Amino acid sequence: MNALWVAPVMPDYESARATFSWRRERSRLAGLPDGGINIGYEAVDRHLREGHGDRVALRCVGRDGSVAAMTFARLAAGSSRFAHVLETLGLERGERVFTLLGRRFELYSTVLGTLRAGRVLCPLFTAFGPEPVALRMELGNARALVTTRELYERKVAPVRPRLPHLRHVLLLDPGADPPPGTLSFPALTDAAPDEYTVQPTDPAEPALLHFTSGTTGTPKGAVHVHEAVLAHHVTAAYALDLHEGDVFWCTADPGWVTGMSYGIIAPLTHGVTTVVDEGDFAPARWYGILADQHVTVWYTAPTALRMLMRAAPRDGSAPTARHDLSSLRFVASVGEPLNPEAVHWGREALGLPVHDTWWQTETGAIMIANFAADPVRPGSMGRPLPGVEAAVLACGEDGRAAVTSGHVQILQEPGAQGELALRSGWPSMFRGYLHEPQRYEACFADGWYLTGDLVSRDADGWYWFVGRADDVIKSAGHLIGPFEVESALMEHPAVAEAGVIGRPDELAGTIVKAFVLPRPEYPPDPQLRRDVLAFARRRLGPAVAPREIEFVEDLPHTRSGKVMRRLLRARELGLPEGDVSTLEAPEPAGTARPSGKEP
Ligand code: 6R9
């Protein structure tokens, strides 16, 4: 043993920031032998090149509790086969492969095979209904889809006529009588060679497409490029404290950006073991995984923590009394405000503080965090990571950063509230919204990316989340666009118009509530409410559909005809109504508008 060896020590925040440069960090990546950067290569090939193919990449925990370990070598072989399949099927570089899959080994081989082959991957939520699935595949021009038979039959087959460009549907479990127009994933991959050479990849080549929700219009397709992997890798070290030998568990759904950046990419680039839970949330199951898999670093969400808090045993005993959580070293949270109670609970129940991390689909990687080496400040999101420059910008009347002659105003005063902005130019910054260059441009001003979140910064530089500057709803960590929900509701024959808001909820943070103006011929009774709720759930899926519906006699509109969700929300919460100068005169009860859809 080398007597001079010392454990790597996390640098303190100030010195890490002072010496940081993205260009220098690039040496942490392996880089392709023939040039460029490829996410799939960094996640898989580099470990084989470095002689670590026999390390365990994934430990898949089945619904029945069975555990299957996959080495990096097996992951390389599985993803190589899928990369060959894409080429055999004739997919061109840059064309899009969609997944509608839960966490399982084939998800990893599909994602990594797609990235290694230079095709673009777009993950969808399995909790989406047919409507959100179809809309995203239409917008994203999906060429291939990998899913299961059950999900295909329920969510894709009914909308397939809308998807003429969807050439190949690969089913993991086609069965003896496969549905027409589908291919067998196992048959195709079994027949493919298990070695694949990643071609030179331009660091600025598109790699991932993630749909996220805005206030108006269709979902936004955020495009990410291969060099994003540098930010995935570096932030996992700084904000999640990932080190060689760790067992990492990220509970995020693979349809969400967190499930991709930190559920798949970042831990693999570090060569650590990732726990893949194929089952659903249940407190005993989760504690069991933490204990039995000897998880060392755990990345989860406030809603999950609140559910665990609620499930605490009545006798007041800590979960550590039943489950050995002694391997757990680091806990982090993302996606919604982390209430101080959850931080305190973590300290008491798990014996560790919970580190908050803030980021967005658009930022691709963690930007602000209770830095791994720092003591946690409960209630604060933390400070900008090394390589990230943040600011609080003064807002105008509309509640968004005010831009005057192309310039923004940075608020220096501690505690002042404004819009959170990030100096543009980090590697995982999104490079466009699909088909919407203007919407993309509108996110930037004066060299800053405007996040749409309201924050304040204290005298020591810690950031505190205040709320969103727009109407987008965050429920159980997932963004929901009110417009998408309103449009689906209005497809119901009884609905003349709808306005959708987020209502605070103890468990999910926020739930979706819809105010519905029924058509005059439909009496607004409990039966209609149940009917509209069920209709929305079928169309949108449980992740997006409203949980509550209130029938109203009119909805407040702006003079330009948009439903004033802000006012609905203020009324619901008993808040001051604020500026209502653009409010239109109320309509006579029951007057149906021709369409509440925006232009
Ligand atoms: C990764 C992810 C982004 C929005 C973001 C903000 C909210 C995320 C948060 C948080 C308070 C945190 N958000 N992290 N709010 N504290 N630590 O969540 O991406 O789904 O695009 O959502 O989520 O409002 O703007 P995405």
PDB file of all heavy atoms in Angstrom, residues 212 256-258 333-338 356-362 381 451 453 465 468 474 477 479, ligand 1:
ATOM      1  N   THR A 212     -40.536  19.478 -22.782  1.00  0.00           N
ATOM      2  CA  THR A 212     -40.893  20.116 -21.530  1.00  0.00           C
ATOM      3  C   THR A 212     -42.092  21.007 -21.805  1.00  0.00           C
ATOM      4  O   THR A 212     -42.464  21.202 -22.957  1.00  0.00           O
ATOM      5  CB  THR A 212     -39.695  20.881 -20.932  1.00  0.00           C
ATOM      6  OG1 THR A 212     -40.071  21.464 -19.692  1.00  0.00           O
ATOM      7  CG2 THR A 212     -39.181  21.962 -21.862  1.00  0.00           C
ATOM      8  N   TRP A 256     -38.116  11.641 -17.824  1.00  0.00           N
ATOM      9  CA  TRP A 256     -37.826  12.996 -17.366  1.00  0.00           C
ATOM     10  C   TRP A 256     -36.336  13.244 -17.527  1.00  0.00           C
ATOM     11  O   TRP A 256     -35.529  12.317 -17.445  1.00  0.00           O
ATOM     12  CB  TRP A 256     -38.238  13.082 -15.897  1.00  0.00           C
ATOM     13  CG  TRP A 256     -38.116  14.404 -15.221  1.00  0.00           C
ATOM     14  CD1 TRP A 256     -38.264  15.648 -15.770  1.00  0.00           C
ATOM     15  CD2 TRP A 256     -37.837  14.615 -13.826  1.00  0.00           C
ATOM     16  NE1 TRP A 256     -38.108  16.609 -14.807  1.00  0.00           N
ATOM     17  CE2 TRP A 256     -37.843  16.000 -13.615  1.00  0.00           C
ATOM     18  CE3 TRP A 256     -37.584  13.756 -12.755  1.00  0.00           C
ATOM     19  CZ2 TRP A 256     -37.601  16.562 -12.360  1.00  0.00           C
ATOM     20  CZ3 TRP A 256     -37.360  14.319 -11.508  1.00  0.00           C
ATOM     21  CH2 TRP A 256     -37.367  15.700 -11.308  1.00  0.00           C
ATOM     22  N   VAL A 257     -35.966  14.498 -17.679  1.00  0.00           N
ATOM     23  CA  VAL A 257     -34.563  14.844 -17.926  1.00  0.00           C
ATOM     24  C   VAL A 257     -33.643  14.306 -16.824  1.00  0.00           C
ATOM     25  O   VAL A 257     -32.519  13.873 -17.089  1.00  0.00           O
ATOM     26  CB  VAL A 257     -34.418  16.375 -18.121  1.00  0.00           C
ATOM     27  CG1 VAL A 257     -34.678  17.123 -16.821  1.00  0.00           C
ATOM     28  CG2 VAL A 257     -33.083  16.741 -18.725  1.00  0.00           C
ATOM     29  N   THR A 258     -34.135  14.267 -15.585  1.00  0.00           N
ATOM     30  CA  THR A 258     -33.289  13.761 -14.493  1.00  0.00           C
ATOM     31  C   THR A 258     -32.989  12.274 -14.694  1.00  0.00           C
ATOM     32  O   THR A 258     -31.875  11.810 -14.430  1.00  0.00           O
ATOM     33  CB  THR A 258     -33.979  13.968 -13.125  1.00  0.00           C
ATOM     34  OG1 THR A 258     -34.329  15.341 -13.015  1.00  0.00           O
ATOM     35  CG2 THR A 258     -33.055  13.595 -11.977  1.00  0.00           C
ATOM     36  N   SER A 333     -31.695  16.001  -3.678  1.00  0.00           N
ATOM     37  CA  SER A 333     -33.083  16.127  -4.113  1.00  0.00           C
ATOM     38  C   SER A 333     -33.158  17.097  -5.282  1.00  0.00           C
ATOM     39  O   SER A 333     -32.329  17.988  -5.420  1.00  0.00           O
ATOM     40  CB  SER A 333     -33.893  16.649  -2.924  1.00  0.00           C
ATOM     41  OG  SER A 333     -35.092  17.239  -3.347  1.00  0.00           O
ATOM     42  N   VAL A 334     -34.178  16.914  -6.106  1.00  0.00           N
ATOM     43  CA  VAL A 334     -34.347  17.792  -7.272  1.00  0.00           C
ATOM     44  C   VAL A 334     -35.797  17.860  -7.708  1.00  0.00           C
ATOM     45  O   VAL A 334     -36.577  16.949  -7.447  1.00  0.00           O
ATOM     46  CB  VAL A 334     -33.516  17.297  -8.472  1.00  0.00           C
ATOM     47  CG1 VAL A 334     -33.931  15.918  -8.925  1.00  0.00           C
ATOM     48  CG2 VAL A 334     -33.611  18.273  -9.644  1.00  0.00           C
ATOM     49  N   GLY A 335     -36.132  18.942  -8.391  1.00  0.00           N
ATOM     50  CA  GLY A 335     -37.375  18.980  -9.151  1.00  0.00           C
ATOM     51  C   GLY A 335     -38.418  19.925  -8.632  1.00  0.00           C
ATOM     52  O   GLY A 335     -39.264  20.389  -9.371  1.00  0.00           O
ATOM     53  N   GLU A 336     -38.407  20.182  -7.339  1.00  0.00           N
ATOM     54  CA  GLU A 336     -39.402  21.065  -6.742  1.00  0.00           C
ATOM     55  C   GLU A 336     -38.797  21.572  -5.440  1.00  0.00           C
ATOM     56  O   GLU A 336     -37.788  21.029  -4.977  1.00  0.00           O
ATOM     57  CB  GLU A 336     -40.713  20.311  -6.499  1.00  0.00           C
ATOM     58  CG  GLU A 336     -40.469  18.872  -6.179  1.00  0.00           C
ATOM     59  CD  GLU A 336     -41.655  18.096  -5.668  1.00  0.00           C
ATOM     60  OE1 GLU A 336     -42.621  18.673  -5.167  1.00  0.00           O
ATOM     61  OE2 GLU A 336     -41.575  16.869  -5.720  1.00  0.00           O
ATOM     62  N   PRO A 337     -39.428  22.591  -4.862  1.00  0.00           N
ATOM     63  CA  PRO A 337     -38.845  23.143  -3.642  1.00  0.00           C
ATOM     64  C   PRO A 337     -38.693  22.065  -2.564  1.00  0.00           C
ATOM     65  O   PRO A 337     -39.608  21.281  -2.325  1.00  0.00           O
ATOM     66  CB  PRO A 337     -39.862  24.202  -3.215  1.00  0.00           C
ATOM     67  CG  PRO A 337     -40.612  24.543  -4.457  1.00  0.00           C
ATOM     68  CD  PRO A 337     -40.631  23.299  -5.299  1.00  0.00           C
ATOM     69  N   LEU A 338     -37.529  22.038  -1.965  1.00  0.00           N
ATOM     70  CA  LEU A 338     -37.254  21.077  -0.893  1.00  0.00           C
ATOM     71  C   LEU A 338     -37.532  21.795   0.430  1.00  0.00           C
ATOM     72  O   LEU A 338     -36.759  22.675   0.828  1.00  0.00           O
ATOM     73  CB  LEU A 338     -35.798  20.616  -0.960  1.00  0.00           C
ATOM     74  CG  LEU A 338     -35.346  19.666   0.137  1.00  0.00           C
ATOM     75  CD1 LEU A 338     -36.057  18.319   0.024  1.00  0.00           C
ATOM     76  CD2 LEU A 338     -33.831  19.460   0.071  1.00  0.00           C
ATOM     77  N   ASP A 356     -30.137  19.973  -1.617  1.00  0.00           N
ATOM     78  CA  ASP A 356     -31.016  20.370  -2.719  1.00  0.00           C
ATOM     79  C   ASP A 356     -30.183  20.641  -3.964  1.00  0.00           C
ATOM     80  O   ASP A 356     -29.023  21.060  -3.866  1.00  0.00           O
ATOM     81  CB  ASP A 356     -31.796  21.635  -2.328  1.00  0.00           C
ATOM     82  CG  ASP A 356     -33.011  21.856  -3.222  1.00  0.00           C
ATOM     83  OD1 ASP A 356     -33.326  20.962  -4.039  1.00  0.00           O
ATOM     84  OD2 ASP A 356     -33.656  22.912  -3.098  1.00  0.00           O
ATOM     85  N   THR A 357     -30.777  20.378  -5.130  1.00  0.00           N
ATOM     86  CA  THR A 357     -30.136  20.750  -6.399  1.00  0.00           C
ATOM     87  C   THR A 357     -31.195  21.384  -7.283  1.00  0.00           C
ATOM     88  O   THR A 357     -32.330  20.927  -7.304  1.00  0.00           O
ATOM     89  CB  THR A 357     -29.552  19.524  -7.141  1.00  0.00           C
ATOM     90  OG1 THR A 357     -30.618  18.699  -7.615  1.00  0.00           O
ATOM     91  CG2 THR A 357     -28.627  18.711  -6.256  1.00  0.00           C
ATOM     92  N   TRP A 358     -30.830  22.421  -7.979  1.00  0.00           N
ATOM     93  CA  TRP A 358     -31.767  23.109  -8.875  1.00  0.00           C
ATOM     94  C   TRP A 358     -31.251  23.035 -10.313  1.00  0.00           C
ATOM     95  O   TRP A 358     -30.095  23.296 -10.578  1.00  0.00           O
ATOM     96  CB  TRP A 358     -31.922  24.583  -8.474  1.00  0.00           C
ATOM     97  CG  TRP A 358     -32.838  25.321  -9.416  1.00  0.00           C
ATOM     98  CD1 TRP A 358     -34.166  25.554  -9.243  1.00  0.00           C
ATOM     99  CD2 TRP A 358     -32.508  25.877 -10.694  1.00  0.00           C
ATOM    100  NE1 TRP A 358     -34.682  26.214 -10.342  1.00  0.00           N
ATOM    101  CE2 TRP A 358     -33.683  26.421 -11.244  1.00  0.00           C
ATOM    102  CE3 TRP A 358     -31.330  25.962 -11.441  1.00  0.00           C
ATOM    103  CZ2 TRP A 358     -33.716  27.047 -12.498  1.00  0.00           C
ATOM    104  CZ3 TRP A 358     -31.354  26.569 -12.693  1.00  0.00           C
ATOM    105  CH2 TRP A 358     -32.551  27.113 -13.196  1.00  0.00           C
ATOM    106  N   TRP A 359     -32.150  22.689 -11.205  1.00  0.00           N
ATOM    107  CA  TRP A 359     -31.847  22.784 -12.635  1.00  0.00           C
ATOM    108  C   TRP A 359     -33.108  22.590 -13.428  1.00  0.00           C
ATOM    109  O   TRP A 359     -34.192  22.489 -12.854  1.00  0.00           O
ATOM    110  CB  TRP A 359     -30.742  21.809 -13.048  1.00  0.00           C
ATOM    111  CG  TRP A 359     -30.972  20.344 -12.780  1.00  0.00           C
ATOM    112  CD1 TRP A 359     -31.052  19.745 -11.555  1.00  0.00           C
ATOM    113  CD2 TRP A 359     -31.114  19.301 -13.740  1.00  0.00           C
ATOM    114  NE1 TRP A 359     -31.229  18.400 -11.709  1.00  0.00           N
ATOM    115  CE2 TRP A 359     -31.270  18.091 -13.033  1.00  0.00           C
ATOM    116  CE3 TRP A 359     -31.094  19.271 -15.136  1.00  0.00           C
ATOM    117  CZ2 TRP A 359     -31.424  16.862 -13.690  1.00  0.00           C
ATOM    118  CZ3 TRP A 359     -31.241  18.057 -15.779  1.00  0.00           C
ATOM    119  CH2 TRP A 359     -31.417  16.864 -15.055  1.00  0.00           C
ATOM    120  N   GLN A 360     -32.995  22.566 -14.753  1.00  0.00           N
ATOM    121  CA  GLN A 360     -34.158  22.478 -15.642  1.00  0.00           C
ATOM    122  C   GLN A 360     -33.833  21.592 -16.841  1.00  0.00           C
ATOM    123  O   GLN A 360     -32.657  21.390 -17.150  1.00  0.00           O
ATOM    124  CB  GLN A 360     -34.487  23.846 -16.224  1.00  0.00           C
ATOM    125  CG  GLN A 360     -34.811  24.918 -15.236  1.00  0.00           C
ATOM    126  CD  GLN A 360     -35.122  26.227 -15.942  1.00  0.00           C
ATOM    127  OE1 GLN A 360     -34.365  26.654 -16.818  1.00  0.00           O
ATOM    128  NE2 GLN A 360     -36.215  26.867 -15.564  1.00  0.00           N
ATOM    129  N   THR A 361     -34.882  21.168 -17.527  1.00  0.00           N
ATOM    130  CA  THR A 361     -34.691  20.450 -18.785  1.00  0.00           C
ATOM    131  C   THR A 361     -33.737  21.245 -19.687  1.00  0.00           C
ATOM    132  O   THR A 361     -32.836  20.682 -20.305  1.00  0.00           O
ATOM    133  CB  THR A 361     -36.056  20.284 -19.495  1.00  0.00           C
ATOM    134  OG1 THR A 361     -36.935  19.596 -18.603  1.00  0.00           O
ATOM    135  CG2 THR A 361     -35.920  19.512 -20.783  1.00  0.00           C
ATOM    136  N   GLU A 362     -33.928  22.548 -19.748  1.00  0.00           N
ATOM    137  CA  GLU A 362     -33.134  23.391 -20.640  1.00  0.00           C
ATOM    138  C   GLU A 362     -31.667  23.471 -20.225  1.00  0.00           C
ATOM    139  O   GLU A 362     -30.782  23.632 -21.062  1.00  0.00           O
ATOM    140  CB  GLU A 362     -33.708  24.818 -20.691  1.00  0.00           C
ATOM    141  CG  GLU A 362     -34.997  24.949 -21.484  1.00  0.00           C
ATOM    142  CD  GLU A 362     -36.258  24.638 -20.664  1.00  0.00           C
ATOM    143  OE1 GLU A 362     -36.125  24.046 -19.562  1.00  0.00           O
ATOM    144  OE2 GLU A 362     -37.351  24.971 -21.144  1.00  0.00           O
ATOM    145  N   MET A 381     -31.660  26.510  -2.198  1.00  0.00           N
ATOM    146  CA  MET A 381     -31.256  25.595  -3.271  1.00  0.00           C
ATOM    147  C   MET A 381     -29.749  25.438  -3.302  1.00  0.00           C
ATOM    148  O   MET A 381     -29.229  24.542  -3.948  1.00  0.00           O
ATOM    149  CB  MET A 381     -31.700  26.138  -4.631  1.00  0.00           C
ATOM    150  CG  MET A 381     -33.100  26.720  -4.628  1.00  0.00           C
ATOM    151  SD  MET A 381     -33.718  27.045  -6.283  1.00  0.00           S
ATOM    152  CE  MET A 381     -32.655  28.371  -6.815  1.00  0.00           C
ATOM    153  N   THR A 451     -34.509  31.924 -16.820  1.00  0.00           N
ATOM    154  CA  THR A 451     -35.008  30.603 -16.428  1.00  0.00           C
ATOM    155  C   THR A 451     -36.516  30.521 -16.247  1.00  0.00           C
ATOM    156  O   THR A 451     -37.071  29.431 -16.231  1.00  0.00           O
ATOM    157  CB  THR A 451     -34.382  30.167 -15.089  1.00  0.00           C
ATOM    158  OG1 THR A 451     -34.853  31.057 -14.065  1.00  0.00           O
ATOM    159  CG2 THR A 451     -32.871  30.175 -15.137  1.00  0.00           C
ATOM    160  N   ASP A 453     -37.883  31.223 -13.423  1.00  0.00           N
ATOM    161  CA  ASP A 453     -38.076  31.017 -11.981  1.00  0.00           C
ATOM    162  C   ASP A 453     -37.773  32.315 -11.234  1.00  0.00           C
ATOM    163  O   ASP A 453     -36.857  33.055 -11.606  1.00  0.00           O
ATOM    164  CB  ASP A 453     -37.109  29.946 -11.451  1.00  0.00           C
ATOM    165  CG  ASP A 453     -37.627  28.530 -11.662  1.00  0.00           C
ATOM    166  OD1 ASP A 453     -38.696  28.382 -12.275  1.00  0.00           O
ATOM    167  OD2 ASP A 453     -36.954  27.592 -11.209  1.00  0.00           O
ATOM    168  N   PHE A 465     -35.529  29.734  -3.591  1.00  0.00           N
ATOM    169  CA  PHE A 465     -36.594  29.641  -4.595  1.00  0.00           C
ATOM    170  C   PHE A 465     -37.832  30.391  -4.107  1.00  0.00           C
ATOM    171  O   PHE A 465     -38.235  30.242  -2.961  1.00  0.00           O
ATOM    172  CB  PHE A 465     -36.929  28.165  -4.823  1.00  0.00           C
ATOM    173  CG  PHE A 465     -37.934  27.929  -5.908  1.00  0.00           C
ATOM    174  CD1 PHE A 465     -37.571  27.995  -7.239  1.00  0.00           C
ATOM    175  CD2 PHE A 465     -39.248  27.611  -5.589  1.00  0.00           C
ATOM    176  CE1 PHE A 465     -38.497  27.765  -8.247  1.00  0.00           C
ATOM    177  CE2 PHE A 465     -40.179  27.378  -6.593  1.00  0.00           C
ATOM    178  CZ  PHE A 465     -39.801  27.454  -7.918  1.00  0.00           C
ATOM    179  N   ARG A 468     -42.516  30.205  -9.627  1.00  0.00           N
ATOM    180  CA  ARG A 468     -42.329  30.307 -11.065  1.00  0.00           C
ATOM    181  C   ARG A 468     -42.900  31.631 -11.553  1.00  0.00           C
ATOM    182  O   ARG A 468     -43.878  32.127 -11.011  1.00  0.00           O
ATOM    183  CB  ARG A 468     -42.998  29.141 -11.783  1.00  0.00           C
ATOM    184  CG  ARG A 468     -42.262  27.819 -11.554  1.00  0.00           C
ATOM    185  CD  ARG A 468     -42.681  26.797 -12.567  1.00  0.00           C
ATOM    186  NE  ARG A 468     -42.508  27.291 -13.912  1.00  0.00           N
ATOM    187  CZ  ARG A 468     -41.466  26.995 -14.699  1.00  0.00           C
ATOM    188  NH1 ARG A 468     -40.513  26.206 -14.279  1.00  0.00           N
ATOM    189  NH2 ARG A 468     -41.397  27.472 -15.916  1.00  0.00           N
ATOM    190  N   LYS A 474     -45.788  22.509 -11.497  1.00  0.00           N
ATOM    191  CA  LYS A 474     -44.860  21.456 -11.098  1.00  0.00           C
ATOM    192  C   LYS A 474     -45.585  20.538 -10.144  1.00  0.00           C
ATOM    193  O   LYS A 474     -45.859  20.917  -9.007  1.00  0.00           O
ATOM    194  CB  LYS A 474     -43.696  22.089 -10.369  1.00  0.00           C
ATOM    195  CG  LYS A 474     -42.332  21.982 -10.930  1.00  0.00           C
ATOM    196  CD  LYS A 474     -41.531  20.991 -11.279  1.00  0.00           C
ATOM    197  CE  LYS A 474     -40.893  20.445 -12.391  1.00  0.00           C
ATOM    198  NZ  LYS A 474     -39.537  20.020 -12.161  1.00  0.00           N
ATOM    199  N   GLY A 477     -42.885  16.954  -8.944  1.00  0.00           N
ATOM    200  CA  GLY A 477     -41.596  17.113  -9.625  1.00  0.00           C
ATOM    201  C   GLY A 477     -41.677  17.218 -11.132  1.00  0.00           C
ATOM    202  O   GLY A 477     -40.689  17.473 -11.788  1.00  0.00           O
ATOM    203  N   LEU A 479     -43.131  18.829 -14.743  1.00  0.00           N
ATOM    204  CA  LEU A 479     -43.727  20.027 -15.310  1.00  0.00           C
ATOM    205  C   LEU A 479     -44.947  19.672 -16.145  1.00  0.00           C
ATOM    206  O   LEU A 479     -44.911  18.737 -16.940  1.00  0.00           O
ATOM    207  CB  LEU A 479     -42.735  20.723 -16.234  1.00  0.00           C
ATOM    208  CG  LEU A 479     -41.694  21.639 -15.614  1.00  0.00           C
ATOM    209  CD1 LEU A 479     -40.903  22.314 -16.715  1.00  0.00           C
ATOM    210  CD2 LEU A 479     -42.329  22.687 -14.727  1.00  0.00           C
TER     211      LEU A 479
HETATM  212  C1  6R9 B   1     -34.637  18.972 -13.367  1.00  0.00           C
HETATM  213  C2  6R9 B   1     -36.005  19.536 -13.510  1.00  0.00           C
HETATM  214  C3  6R9 B   1     -37.591  22.692 -14.007  1.00  0.00           C
HETATM  215  C4  6R9 B   1     -38.329  23.525 -12.980  1.00  0.00           C
HETATM  216  C5  6R9 B   1     -37.560  24.713 -12.510  1.00  0.00           C
HETATM  217  C6  6R9 B   1     -38.210  24.965 -11.152  1.00  0.00           C
HETATM  218  C7  6R9 B   1     -38.479  23.573 -10.639  1.00  0.00           C
HETATM  219  C8  6R9 B   1     -36.372  22.226 -10.181  1.00  0.00           C
HETATM  220  C9  6R9 B   1     -35.982  22.775  -8.125  1.00  0.00           C
HETATM  221  C10 6R9 B   1     -37.137  23.459  -8.554  1.00  0.00           C
HETATM  222  C11 6R9 B   1     -37.336  24.486  -6.507  1.00  0.00           C
HETATM  223  C12 6R9 B   1     -35.534  22.997  -6.786  1.00  0.00           C
HETATM  224  N1  6R9 B   1     -37.350  23.083  -9.829  1.00  0.00           N
HETATM  225  N2  6R9 B   1     -35.545  22.016  -9.157  1.00  0.00           N
HETATM  226  N3  6R9 B   1     -37.806  24.314  -7.755  1.00  0.00           N
HETATM  227  N4  6R9 B   1     -36.249  23.870  -6.013  1.00  0.00           N
HETATM  228  N5  6R9 B   1     -34.453  22.370  -6.299  1.00  0.00           N
HETATM  229  O1  6R9 B   1     -36.733  19.630 -12.562  1.00  0.00           O
HETATM  230  O2  6R9 B   1     -36.353  19.926 -14.771  1.00  0.00           O
HETATM  231  O3  6R9 B   1     -38.760  19.298 -15.232  1.00  0.00           O
HETATM  232  O4  6R9 B   1     -37.544  21.052 -16.609  1.00  0.00           O
HETATM  233  O5  6R9 B   1     -38.290  21.498 -14.271  1.00  0.00           O
HETATM  234  O6  6R9 B   1     -38.581  22.755 -11.805  1.00  0.00           O
HETATM  235  O7  6R9 B   1     -39.409  25.650 -11.327  1.00  0.00           O
HETATM  236  O8  6R9 B   1     -37.689  25.786 -13.410  1.00  0.00           O
HETATM  237  P1  6R9 B   1     -37.768  20.408 -15.291  1.00  0.00           P
END
